[in-house]
Amino acid sequence: MKCDIPIELLSGYLDGVLDNKLKAAVEKHLKECESCRQELEELKRMDEYIKRQEVEEPSRDFVFALNRRVMEKIRRKPRPFLVRLTPVFAPAAIALLLFIVLINTVPRQRLIGIESRILYADMEIEREEEIFMAKPHTARAAAAKEKVYEREADRAAAPSGLVIAETEKKIDAVDEAMLNDFEVQVVQLDIPRKTVVRAIVDSTGKVLKVATGNTISPEKDTMLENRLEGQQLPPPTVAGRRTQLYVDYTAEEESND
Amino acid sequence: MYSSIESDEILIKRVKNGDCEAFNPLVERYKLALYKLMYRMVYNRDDAEDLVEEAFIKAYRSISRFEIGRPFYAWLSRLAVNNAINFLRKKKRGHLEPLEWSEHRLVAEKQNPVAMTREKMLKERINKAMAQLPQEYRTILVLRVNDELSYEEISEVLKIPKGTVMSRLARARQRLKEIFKEMEVHKHEM
């Protein structure tokens, strides 16, 4: 007959951990229940088996040298935390150092950014002597200007606001031909006055991006960009090296004098 | 030099006061008991020996956390058992291979072949059955039956409530009985 006494009670009884009341109840039940007596005997047999479980003899080294090994290790003072981390962080620190050195020594293509722009108003560069000037294409620029003025002459008003004259004074700073061509390109578009036109010109002289406005993030002017994008200007050079430039052009009111 | 009759408590107080040499008698006193416990958990002599060494070093390094007056071996076995459980998890050895017969036992077998063969077969079955037990059942049976730890000590070692000790022990014994029965069935089938 199967008995419904919990196995925990029999197991606890075997271990002698039941309180007196439970112990008496189990003993009373065992007297009456053959099945539970058998179950208890089975559990006892399992414990006997566990006790007879084979354990391999430890090695001679373990028996005779374990104390020495343990004592040697505990006599040694544990290394400070940072020293223990050295094997992990040292390679990382070296890699970081190499990265910093490489990033500062290997020449890389300069990305165009706000720091690359050259304002007409800022063309008088303080360290002028260090800048090698590209030979101004004066004839070409003059021809382009004349062309512009011819067109403008047809209009009631001249293209006042052009800062070409001012540009000529400051031409010592940046490649004149490229800037003049850019002026010509912009003037031909007849853009509203007092508009700042900004363009990114790559090192081959090709106009990449065009926008308007005098803020950090100029507004995109799709029409203007469609007209100017891809236009070929003379390659800009600064200090004798071809470079990308971020150029501004401002059409200002022409002064009466 | 420390006498082997000095109590655990006196030795531990000295260790806590910075006298590391007082730890040596504790290693001597408990290394074999701890080896048997570790062996029954991992069924491999080399692994068991390494685990014993690690347990003693961990015990020394965390001796400041040991409360004087508590049983040292229960605390030491807790460290060792937890270490062994982590070791088994890393090695993914929930079920273990029972041991192989070593050379000295084979020699004894030759001297009294009938008795030794019967004994050998029974022990092989016991080891196989134990190896088939889930790791938490095997551990609790070893702590209770082999190491004769009380329910309170087992509760402390395994960090489980006393009631769970009782129910887990009962289930472990039940499961071991079932495994033996299954092995009997296979034996008769063969």
Side-chain angles (χ1 to χ4, degrees):
Chain A
M1 192 184 80
K2 188 78 181 169
C3 191
D4 60 355
I5 187 169
I7 182 77
E8 284 82 2
L9 277 186
L10 286 181
S11 177
Y13 178 76
L14 184 65
D15 287 329
V17 294
L18 300 184
D19 61 30
N20 289 339
K21 197 177 162 189
L22 272 175
K23 188 180 165 190
V26 171
E27 278 171 351
K28 185 173 176 244
H29 177 81
L30 284 171
K31 277 180 189 166
E32 297 159 0
C33 181
E34 171 67 23
S35 153
C36 282
R37 279 201 301 275
Q38 278 181 9
E39 181 72 27
L40 186 65
E41 284 308 308
E42 287 280 299
L43 295 183
K44 278 182 186 171
R45 192 157 64 91
M46 290 305 110
D47 279 13
E48 284 305 311
Y49 283 169
I50 295 166
K51 282 176 186 164
R52 288 169 76 175
Q53 205 184 340
E54 194 68 24
V55 175
E56 204 173 345
E57 290 293 318
S59 66
R60 283 177 59 82
D61 179 64
F62 177 84
V63 175
F64 295 109
L66 178 81
N67 288 58
R68 183 178 46 78
R69 280 206 306 274
V70 170
M71 293 312 290
E72 272 173 12
K73 283 183 182 169
I74 66 178
R75 278 183 205 121
R76 243 180 271 152
K77 280 193 173 179
R79 290 178 297 166
F81 182 67
L82 282 176
V83 177
R84 272 182 282 152
L85 288 178
T86 305
V88 180
F89 286 114
I94 291 168
L96 183 67
L97 192 68
L98 275 175
F99 177 73
I100 291 168
V101 169
L102 285 174
I103 215 167
N104 286 297
T105 53
V106 174
R108 62 203 161 96
Q109 191 179 1
R110 205 167 150 229
L111 296 174
I112 201 74
I114 196 78
E115 73 281 0
S116 307
R117 71 180 179 167
I118 295 176
L119 291 166
Y120 278 23
D122 296 339
M123 278 184 197
E124 282 178 346
I125 297 169
E126 286 177 12
R127 300 173 67 193
E128 206 169 319
E129 67 285 359
E130 290 182 11
I131 308 255
F132 172 79
M133 294 311 309
K135 196 78 177 169
H137 298 202
T138 43
R140 190 176 162 200
K145 282 175 214 165
E146 275 171 21
K147 196 175 170 188
V148 172
Y149 283 121
E150 277 169 18
R151 289 188 181 188
E152 293 297 315
D154 296 339
R155 298 183 191 170
S160 59
L162 274 181
V163 287
I164 292 171
E166 201 179 332
T167 306
E168 283 171 346
K169 290 179 195 166
K170 298 162 184 172
I171 210 154
D172 287 345
V174 180
D175 188 333
E176 183 210 34
M178 188 278 289
L179 293 171
N180 280 340
D181 276 15
F182 182 67
E183 282 173 14
V184 170
Q185 299 278 0
V186 177
V187 168
Q188 284 170 350
L189 294 176
D190 193 22
I191 57 164
R193 288 172 183 175
K194 288 194 173 178
T195 300
V196 174
V197 179
R198 293 177 164 189
I200 298 172
V201 182
D202 73 8
S203 58
T204 65
K206 191 174 170 185
V207 178
L208 298 178
K209 294 279 174 194
V210 181
T212 58
N214 195 21
T215 59
I216 292 290
S217 52
E219 289 170 25
K220 186 174 172 66
D221 190 328
T222 313
M223 275 182 62
L224 197 61
E225 187 168 279
N226 288 342
R227 297 280 299 277
L228 281 172
E229 192 180 353
Q231 296 282 348
Q232 192 63 42
L233 302 172
T237 56
V238 172
R241 283 182 298 182
R242 283 168 71 163
T243 181
Q244 284 190 332
L245 278 184
Y246 189 80
V247 295
D248 281 3
Y249 167 76
T250 312
E252 292 174 346
E253 291 281 358
E254 188 184 42
S255 60
N256 289 330
D257 51 35
Chain B
M1 203 65 188
Y2 289 92
S3 156
S4 60
I5 53 162
E6 278 181 294
S7 71
D8 288 1
E9 197 171 318
I10 289 171
L11 292 169
I12 290 162
K13 274 181 186 169
R14 288 181 181 168
V15 176
K16 275 176 175 266
N17 288 331
D19 179 5
C20 72
E21 297 306 318
F23 197 71
N24 198 15
L26 292 169
V27 177
E28 188 59 35
R29 196 169 291 171
Y30 294 114
K31 68 181 181 188
L32 285 177
L34 207 56
Y35 167 78
K36 284 180 185 171
L37 173 63
M38 291 296 99
Y39 185 87
R40 287 177 180 127
M41 285 188 75
V42 299
Y43 285 92
N44 179 290
R45 190 180 75 175
D46 294 340
D47 290 344
E49 290 179 355
D50 289 345
L51 287 168
V52 172
E53 190 175 326
E54 279 174 29
F56 276 119
I57 290 161
K58 279 187 179 176
Y60 176 80
R61 291 198 174 138
S62 48
I63 199 84
S64 58
R65 291 206 292 271
F66 175 74
E67 292 170 35
I68 301 282
R70 313 274 295 177
F72 177 69
Y73 182 67
W75 181 77
L76 179 65
S77 17
R78 184 174 72 195
L79 279 179
V81 166
N82 287 332
N83 199 31
I85 289 171
N86 288 335
F87 168 82
L88 289 170
R89 275 190 197 133
K90 277 180 199 161
K91 290 194 95 176
K92 294 181 181 172
R93 286 170 58 180
H95 292 277
L96 305 162
E97 287 299 317
L99 82 174
E100 291 169 3
W101 288 95
S102 63
E103 210 165 299
H104 76 276
R105 275 176 293 180
L106 290 173
V107 172
E109 195 178 333
K110 277 179 190 168
Q111 288 163 356
N112 189 354
V114 177
M116 282 309 294
T117 306
R118 198 175 296 149
E119 179 68 12
K120 176 190 160 183
M121 283 173 71
L122 177 62
K123 283 181 175 175
E124 268 187 354
R125 278 178 60 214
I126 295 167
N127 284 334
K128 273 185 184 169
M130 285 297 281
Q132 282 182 47
L133 275 179
Q135 175 258 311
E136 68 262 29
Y137 286 176
R138 192 168 57 242
T139 304
I140 204 165
L141 283 175
V142 168
L143 290 174
R144 175 64 199 157
V145 183
N146 294 118
D147 277 33
E148 297 177 346
L149 295 190
S150 68
Y151 278 28
E152 286 83 2
E153 286 168 335
I154 296 172
S155 157
E156 203 175 297
V157 169
L158 299 179
K159 289 181 183 164
I160 52 174
K162 208 175 143 188
T164 310
V165 174
M166 185 184 245
S167 57
R168 193 180 288 181
L169 264 171
R171 286 199 304 273
R173 283 177 169 133
Q174 189 81 346
R175 181 74 196 110
L176 186 64
K177 201 181 77 179
E178 287 165 11
I179 290 171
F180 266 106
K181 274 187 184 163
E182 284 162 18
M183 287 167 80
E184 285 290 323
V185 171
H186 287 305
K187 191 181 156 194
H188 290 304
E189 278 174 357
M190 285 171 76

